[in-house]
Amino acid sequence: MIVKPFRGLRPSAALASRIPSLPYDVLDSDEARRLAAGDPYTFLHVVKSEIDLDPSIGPYDDRVYAKALENFRAMRASGWLVRDASPSYYVYRQALGSHAQTGIVGTAAVADYDAGRIKRHEHTRPEKENDRTRHAATLGANPGPIFLAHRGHDGLEAASSRAAARTPAADFVAADGVAHTLWVVDDPLEVAAIESAFRDLPATYIADGHHRAASYARVARERGDASSSRLLAAHFPASQLKILDYNRLVRDLNGLDVPALLERIRAAGFDLVDPWPARKPEAAATFGLYVGGSWRLLKATPGVVPQDDPVRRLDVSVLAEKILGPILGIGDPRTDRRIEFVGGIRGMDELERRVRSGEFAAAFSMFPTRMDDVMAVADAGLVMPPKSTWFEPKLRSGMVVHVFDEE
């Protein structure tokens, strides 16, 4: 793989903990407005710039992109964002509770993306891809990294360990409890060793950021210059990554009452444990169901899960093919408004709350998709169903930015 060092644009030392923000796609506009209220430093003013405009203005309005550029330029002019003097790699560690993951930020090659060596497991939605394409093109920069995984490399992990023994350039705990630490690697010999180690990797895998990857690649093709032919990306060993459950909420029971629903589920090949107070499945091919004020465990019986198919054997596929579609009448989950998805970071209480409110009739809690399954699907050139993975912690935008035309 081709992964190059670059002259990163980073928050000044005094603002290293203030500027980095959650990525644009985990917050809606109202949430971003609340988080940014009274805070001029947060990078949400760049990646969610609609927060600085009248709420009646749509997120894809011309004024949103102009405001993003205005805010980005103002942060640079104020000295809040500072450019590194020499091409560097950036070792980025995140920790949440007992979990920690350490990766290396560099610029991956659009050529590797186009050739399929940066492997995908999701489709992208045109409106989101168009939005991030225009956003990056307007800024002349990649403001947030693509989250990539690889199967591990001793040289990369050794380089990360050497960097982590030094004083970090940024080290803070965000409001959500995630610790973020960044080290700059600018020594020419170390830079060359990291670049060489990346060349040993046969492939990398998009963990999170399919829309960013597609958008950044489109910007490169549209610009047609060398400076934009690289994608800001953070590369982590797959063995260190943590995937949380990605749960489902359904608005109605498709004309069924609870006893009829449970009977249809049994007939579809599931054993039921009722009642079931655990709420959260502890193994693949099992699902929690909260309906009618109580939890049940649904256990797929032998033969229900097609083990020889890397996509259809996924729990999200089994649930969709056996229950959501044929029993509850859920069509395309990308467009069907009768279903919503809730990342596991919000917990089981959130599922119960939204069902008890009457907004939804039932909730399904999921066992997390495994990283091995993600890579198996990508290696097969296939795609996973929507909302199959929720990686946590999320990479912060504004920790380090790749600017075009300034190398």
PDB file of all heavy atoms in Angstrom, residues 44-68:
ATOM      1  N   LEU A  44     -16.553  21.485  14.788  1.00  0.00           N
ATOM      2  CA  LEU A  44     -17.912  21.361  14.260  1.00  0.00           C
ATOM      3  C   LEU A  44     -18.282  22.566  13.404  1.00  0.00           C
ATOM      4  O   LEU A  44     -19.115  22.459  12.496  1.00  0.00           O
ATOM      5  CB  LEU A  44     -18.921  21.198  15.394  1.00  0.00           C
ATOM      6  CG  LEU A  44     -18.905  19.863  16.140  1.00  0.00           C
ATOM      7  CD1 LEU A  44     -19.843  19.915  17.343  1.00  0.00           C
ATOM      8  CD2 LEU A  44     -19.283  18.699  15.218  1.00  0.00           C
ATOM      9  N   HIS A  45     -17.664  23.713  13.664  1.00  0.00           N
ATOM     10  CA  HIS A  45     -17.933  24.898  12.851  1.00  0.00           C
ATOM     11  C   HIS A  45     -17.444  24.712  11.412  1.00  0.00           C
ATOM     12  O   HIS A  45     -17.874  25.445  10.517  1.00  0.00           O
ATOM     13  CB  HIS A  45     -17.282  26.130  13.468  1.00  0.00           C
ATOM     14  CG  HIS A  45     -17.873  26.528  14.785  1.00  0.00           C
ATOM     15  ND1 HIS A  45     -19.143  27.021  14.920  1.00  0.00           N
ATOM     16  CD2 HIS A  45     -17.351  26.458  16.049  1.00  0.00           C
ATOM     17  CE1 HIS A  45     -19.395  27.276  16.206  1.00  0.00           C
ATOM     18  NE2 HIS A  45     -18.323  26.938  16.907  1.00  0.00           N
ATOM     19  N   VAL A  46     -16.561  23.731  11.206  1.00  0.00           N
ATOM     20  CA  VAL A  46     -16.074  23.421   9.855  1.00  0.00           C
ATOM     21  C   VAL A  46     -16.815  22.221   9.269  1.00  0.00           C
ATOM     22  O   VAL A  46     -17.296  22.267   8.138  1.00  0.00           O
ATOM     23  CB  VAL A  46     -14.555  23.165   9.862  1.00  0.00           C
ATOM     24  CG1 VAL A  46     -14.063  22.713   8.480  1.00  0.00           C
ATOM     25  CG2 VAL A  46     -13.806  24.415  10.300  1.00  0.00           C
ATOM     26  N   VAL A  47     -16.923  21.137  10.026  1.00  0.00           N
ATOM     27  CA  VAL A  47     -17.516  19.916   9.464  1.00  0.00           C
ATOM     28  C   VAL A  47     -19.038  19.893   9.534  1.00  0.00           C
ATOM     29  O   VAL A  47     -19.683  19.111   8.836  1.00  0.00           O
ATOM     30  CB  VAL A  47     -16.929  18.646  10.127  1.00  0.00           C
ATOM     31  CG1 VAL A  47     -15.447  18.531   9.833  1.00  0.00           C
ATOM     32  CG2 VAL A  47     -17.196  18.613  11.627  1.00  0.00           C
ATOM     33  N   LYS A  48     -19.640  20.756  10.370  1.00  0.00           N
ATOM     34  CA  LYS A  48     -21.103  20.881  10.458  1.00  0.00           C
ATOM     35  C   LYS A  48     -21.458  22.364  10.429  1.00  0.00           C
ATOM     36  O   LYS A  48     -22.158  22.880  11.306  1.00  0.00           O
ATOM     37  CB  LYS A  48     -21.640  20.240  11.745  1.00  0.00           C
ATOM     38  CG  LYS A  48     -21.430  18.749  11.853  1.00  0.00           C
ATOM     39  CD  LYS A  48     -22.393  17.945  10.999  1.00  0.00           C
ATOM     40  CE  LYS A  48     -23.784  17.950  11.541  1.00  0.00           C
ATOM     41  NZ  LYS A  48     -24.695  17.078  10.724  1.00  0.00           N
ATOM     42  N   SER A  49     -21.021  23.061   9.412  1.00  0.00           N
ATOM     43  CA  SER A  49     -21.093  24.525   9.410  1.00  0.00           C
ATOM     44  C   SER A  49     -22.510  25.058   9.355  1.00  0.00           C
ATOM     45  O   SER A  49     -22.737  26.256   9.613  1.00  0.00           O
ATOM     46  CB  SER A  49     -20.286  25.088   8.233  1.00  0.00           C
ATOM     47  OG  SER A  49     -20.695  24.477   7.010  1.00  0.00           O
ATOM     48  N   GLU A  50     -23.504  24.222   9.069  1.00  0.00           N
ATOM     49  CA  GLU A  50     -24.889  24.694   9.107  1.00  0.00           C
ATOM     50  C   GLU A  50     -25.300  25.158  10.494  1.00  0.00           C
ATOM     51  O   GLU A  50     -26.281  25.898  10.642  1.00  0.00           O
ATOM     52  CB  GLU A  50     -25.849  23.597   8.616  1.00  0.00           C
ATOM     53  CG  GLU A  50     -26.022  22.403   9.541  1.00  0.00           C
ATOM     54  CD  GLU A  50     -25.036  21.276   9.284  1.00  0.00           C
ATOM     55  OE1 GLU A  50     -23.996  21.551   8.638  1.00  0.00           O
ATOM     56  OE2 GLU A  50     -25.307  20.144   9.716  1.00  0.00           O
ATOM     57  N   ILE A  51     -24.530  24.765  11.518  1.00  0.00           N
ATOM     58  CA  ILE A  51     -24.862  25.187  12.880  1.00  0.00           C
ATOM     59  C   ILE A  51     -24.714  26.686  13.068  1.00  0.00           C
ATOM     60  O   ILE A  51     -25.252  27.249  14.029  1.00  0.00           O
ATOM     61  CB  ILE A  51     -24.011  24.448  13.933  1.00  0.00           C
ATOM     62  CG1 ILE A  51     -22.529  24.819  13.808  1.00  0.00           C
ATOM     63  CG2 ILE A  51     -24.193  22.938  13.829  1.00  0.00           C
ATOM     64  CD1 ILE A  51     -21.636  24.189  14.862  1.00  0.00           C
ATOM     65  N   ASP A  52     -23.982  27.341  12.161  1.00  0.00           N
ATOM     66  CA  ASP A  52     -23.769  28.786  12.262  1.00  0.00           C
ATOM     67  C   ASP A  52     -24.719  29.578  11.362  1.00  0.00           C
ATOM     68  O   ASP A  52     -24.543  30.784  11.189  1.00  0.00           O
ATOM     69  CB  ASP A  52     -22.321  29.133  11.915  1.00  0.00           C
ATOM     70  CG  ASP A  52     -21.344  28.540  12.914  1.00  0.00           C
ATOM     71  OD1 ASP A  52     -21.669  28.528  14.111  1.00  0.00           O
ATOM     72  OD2 ASP A  52     -20.275  28.060  12.496  1.00  0.00           O
ATOM     73  N   LEU A  53     -25.703  28.888  10.794  1.00  0.00           N
ATOM     74  CA  LEU A  53     -26.677  29.531   9.923  1.00  0.00           C
ATOM     75  C   LEU A  53     -28.082  29.332  10.488  1.00  0.00           C
ATOM     76  O   LEU A  53     -28.279  28.558  11.424  1.00  0.00           O
ATOM     77  CB  LEU A  53     -26.591  28.931   8.520  1.00  0.00           C
ATOM     78  CG  LEU A  53     -25.236  29.071   7.809  1.00  0.00           C
ATOM     79  CD1 LEU A  53     -25.235  28.259   6.524  1.00  0.00           C
ATOM     80  CD2 LEU A  53     -24.921  30.528   7.522  1.00  0.00           C
ATOM     81  N   ASP A  54     -29.030  30.022   9.927  1.00  0.00           N
ATOM     82  CA  ASP A  54     -30.418  29.857  10.357  1.00  0.00           C
ATOM     83  C   ASP A  54     -30.844  28.402  10.199  1.00  0.00           C
ATOM     84  O   ASP A  54     -30.572  27.786   9.161  1.00  0.00           O
ATOM     85  CB  ASP A  54     -31.307  30.762   9.504  1.00  0.00           C
ATOM     86  CG  ASP A  54     -32.731  30.824  10.039  1.00  0.00           C
ATOM     87  OD1 ASP A  54     -33.470  29.824   9.867  1.00  0.00           O
ATOM     88  OD2 ASP A  54     -33.097  31.856  10.632  1.00  0.00           O
ATOM     89  N   PRO A  55     -31.507  27.832  11.191  1.00  0.00           N
ATOM     90  CA  PRO A  55     -31.903  26.421  11.113  1.00  0.00           C
ATOM     91  C   PRO A  55     -32.804  26.084   9.926  1.00  0.00           C
ATOM     92  O   PRO A  55     -32.926  24.914   9.556  1.00  0.00           O
ATOM     93  CB  PRO A  55     -32.631  26.185  12.445  1.00  0.00           C
ATOM     94  CG  PRO A  55     -32.055  27.203  13.371  1.00  0.00           C
ATOM     95  CD  PRO A  55     -31.792  28.402  12.517  1.00  0.00           C
ATOM     96  N   SER A  56     -33.416  27.099   9.331  1.00  0.00           N
ATOM     97  CA  SER A  56     -34.271  26.841   8.170  1.00  0.00           C
ATOM     98  C   SER A  56     -33.470  26.545   6.915  1.00  0.00           C
ATOM     99  O   SER A  56     -34.025  26.054   5.919  1.00  0.00           O
ATOM    100  CB  SER A  56     -35.190  28.041   7.918  1.00  0.00           C
ATOM    101  OG  SER A  56     -34.425  29.185   7.532  1.00  0.00           O
ATOM    102  N   ILE A  57     -32.180  26.829   6.939  1.00  0.00           N
ATOM    103  CA  ILE A  57     -31.330  26.589   5.772  1.00  0.00           C
ATOM    104  C   ILE A  57     -30.943  25.115   5.735  1.00  0.00           C
ATOM    105  O   ILE A  57     -30.447  24.558   6.714  1.00  0.00           O
ATOM    106  CB  ILE A  57     -30.072  27.485   5.832  1.00  0.00           C
ATOM    107  CG1 ILE A  57     -30.481  28.952   5.714  1.00  0.00           C
ATOM    108  CG2 ILE A  57     -29.083  27.111   4.729  1.00  0.00           C
ATOM    109  CD1 ILE A  57     -29.335  29.920   5.921  1.00  0.00           C
ATOM    110  N   GLY A  58     -31.163  24.465   4.616  1.00  0.00           N
ATOM    111  CA  GLY A  58     -30.884  23.042   4.478  1.00  0.00           C
ATOM    112  C   GLY A  58     -29.402  22.735   4.529  1.00  0.00           C
ATOM    113  O   GLY A  58     -28.556  23.595   4.222  1.00  0.00           O
ATOM    114  N   PRO A  59     -29.039  21.488   4.895  1.00  0.00           N
ATOM    115  CA  PRO A  59     -27.622  21.137   5.061  1.00  0.00           C
ATOM    116  C   PRO A  59     -26.829  21.117   3.758  1.00  0.00           C
ATOM    117  O   PRO A  59     -25.605  21.120   3.799  1.00  0.00           O
ATOM    118  CB  PRO A  59     -27.683  19.737   5.688  1.00  0.00           C
ATOM    119  CG  PRO A  59     -29.007  19.189   5.267  1.00  0.00           C
ATOM    120  CD  PRO A  59     -29.937  20.357   5.217  1.00  0.00           C
ATOM    121  N   TYR A  60     -27.512  21.122   2.602  1.00  0.00           N
ATOM    122  CA  TYR A  60     -26.811  21.083   1.320  1.00  0.00           C
ATOM    123  C   TYR A  60     -26.908  22.418   0.573  1.00  0.00           C
ATOM    124  O   TYR A  60     -26.598  22.503  -0.607  1.00  0.00           O
ATOM    125  CB  TYR A  60     -27.368  19.957   0.445  1.00  0.00           C
ATOM    126  CG  TYR A  60     -27.401  18.594   1.122  1.00  0.00           C
ATOM    127  CD1 TYR A  60     -28.452  17.720   0.930  1.00  0.00           C
ATOM    128  CD2 TYR A  60     -26.369  18.189   1.981  1.00  0.00           C
ATOM    129  CE1 TYR A  60     -28.483  16.476   1.555  1.00  0.00           C
ATOM    130  CE2 TYR A  60     -26.399  16.957   2.610  1.00  0.00           C
ATOM    131  CZ  TYR A  60     -27.456  16.108   2.397  1.00  0.00           C
ATOM    132  OH  TYR A  60     -27.483  14.878   3.024  1.00  0.00           O
ATOM    133  N   ASP A  61     -27.301  23.438   1.272  1.00  0.00           N
ATOM    134  CA  ASP A  61     -27.404  24.769   0.683  1.00  0.00           C
ATOM    135  C   ASP A  61     -26.010  25.323   0.380  1.00  0.00           C
ATOM    136  O   ASP A  61     -25.044  25.045   1.099  1.00  0.00           O
ATOM    137  CB  ASP A  61     -28.133  25.699   1.674  1.00  0.00           C
ATOM    138  CG  ASP A  61     -28.492  27.039   1.069  1.00  0.00           C
ATOM    139  OD1 ASP A  61     -27.587  27.896   0.940  1.00  0.00           O
ATOM    140  OD2 ASP A  61     -29.677  27.246   0.743  1.00  0.00           O
ATOM    141  N   ASP A  62     -25.899  26.131  -0.679  1.00  0.00           N
ATOM    142  CA  ASP A  62     -24.609  26.732  -1.047  1.00  0.00           C
ATOM    143  C   ASP A  62     -23.981  27.471   0.133  1.00  0.00           C
ATOM    144  O   ASP A  62     -22.747  27.472   0.304  1.00  0.00           O
ATOM    145  CB  ASP A  62     -24.787  27.730  -2.194  1.00  0.00           C
ATOM    146  CG  ASP A  62     -25.133  27.069  -3.514  1.00  0.00           C
ATOM    147  OD1 ASP A  62     -25.066  25.819  -3.601  1.00  0.00           O
ATOM    148  OD2 ASP A  62     -25.470  27.807  -4.471  1.00  0.00           O
ATOM    149  N   ARG A  63     -24.816  28.086   0.956  1.00  0.00           N
ATOM    150  CA  ARG A  63     -24.297  28.890   2.064  1.00  0.00           C
ATOM    151  C   ARG A  63     -23.604  28.039   3.128  1.00  0.00           C
ATOM    152  O   ARG A  63     -22.744  28.534   3.853  1.00  0.00           O
ATOM    153  CB  ARG A  63     -25.442  29.686   2.684  1.00  0.00           C
ATOM    154  CG  ARG A  63     -25.936  30.832   1.804  1.00  0.00           C
ATOM    155  CD  ARG A  63     -27.256  31.406   2.287  1.00  0.00           C
ATOM    156  NE  ARG A  63     -28.367  30.510   1.996  1.00  0.00           N
ATOM    157  CZ  ARG A  63     -29.638  30.807   2.241  1.00  0.00           C
ATOM    158  NH1 ARG A  63     -29.946  31.980   2.795  1.00  0.00           N
ATOM    159  NH2 ARG A  63     -30.608  29.951   1.949  1.00  0.00           N
ATOM    160  N   VAL A  64     -23.980  26.774   3.220  1.00  0.00           N
ATOM    161  CA  VAL A  64     -23.348  25.881   4.202  1.00  0.00           C
ATOM    162  C   VAL A  64     -21.878  25.663   3.848  1.00  0.00           C
ATOM    163  O   VAL A  64     -20.992  25.744   4.713  1.00  0.00           O
ATOM    164  CB  VAL A  64     -24.104  24.548   4.283  1.00  0.00           C
ATOM    165  CG1 VAL A  64     -23.357  23.553   5.167  1.00  0.00           C
ATOM    166  CG2 VAL A  64     -25.516  24.770   4.810  1.00  0.00           C
ATOM    167  N   TYR A  65     -21.604  25.409   2.572  1.00  0.00           N
ATOM    168  CA  TYR A  65     -20.221  25.156   2.149  1.00  0.00           C
ATOM    169  C   TYR A  65     -19.392  26.440   2.222  1.00  0.00           C
ATOM    170  O   TYR A  65     -18.218  26.405   2.625  1.00  0.00           O
ATOM    171  CB  TYR A  65     -20.210  24.569   0.739  1.00  0.00           C
ATOM    172  CG  TYR A  65     -21.064  23.328   0.644  1.00  0.00           C
ATOM    173  CD1 TYR A  65     -22.347  23.383   0.115  1.00  0.00           C
ATOM    174  CD2 TYR A  65     -20.610  22.108   1.135  1.00  0.00           C
ATOM    175  CE1 TYR A  65     -23.154  22.256   0.055  1.00  0.00           C
ATOM    176  CE2 TYR A  65     -21.409  20.968   1.080  1.00  0.00           C
ATOM    177  CZ  TYR A  65     -22.686  21.054   0.545  1.00  0.00           C
ATOM    178  OH  TYR A  65     -23.477  19.933   0.499  1.00  0.00           O
ATOM    179  N   ALA A  66     -19.999  27.560   1.858  1.00  0.00           N
ATOM    180  CA  ALA A  66     -19.286  28.838   1.970  1.00  0.00           C
ATOM    181  C   ALA A  66     -18.950  29.138   3.427  1.00  0.00           C
ATOM    182  O   ALA A  66     -17.847  29.646   3.730  1.00  0.00           O
ATOM    183  CB  ALA A  66     -20.134  29.959   1.372  1.00  0.00           C
ATOM    184  N   LYS A  67     -19.863  28.810   4.340  1.00  0.00           N
ATOM    185  CA  LYS A  67     -19.613  29.063   5.763  1.00  0.00           C
ATOM    186  C   LYS A  67     -18.504  28.153   6.278  1.00  0.00           C
ATOM    187  O   LYS A  67     -17.670  28.577   7.098  1.00  0.00           O
ATOM    188  CB  LYS A  67     -20.893  28.835   6.564  1.00  0.00           C
ATOM    189  CG  LYS A  67     -20.803  29.296   8.012  1.00  0.00           C
ATOM    190  CD  LYS A  67     -20.597  30.805   8.101  1.00  0.00           C
ATOM    191  CE  LYS A  67     -20.607  31.297   9.523  1.00  0.00           C
ATOM    192  NZ  LYS A  67     -20.328  32.750   9.611  1.00  0.00           N
ATOM    193  N   ALA A  68     -18.468  26.902   5.815  1.00  0.00           N
ATOM    194  CA  ALA A  68     -17.394  25.984   6.224  1.00  0.00           C
ATOM    195  C   ALA A  68     -16.038  26.558   5.837  1.00  0.00           C
ATOM    196  O   ALA A  68     -15.089  26.555   6.641  1.00  0.00           O
ATOM    197  CB  ALA A  68     -17.600  24.615   5.589  1.00  0.00           C
TER     198      ALA A  68
END
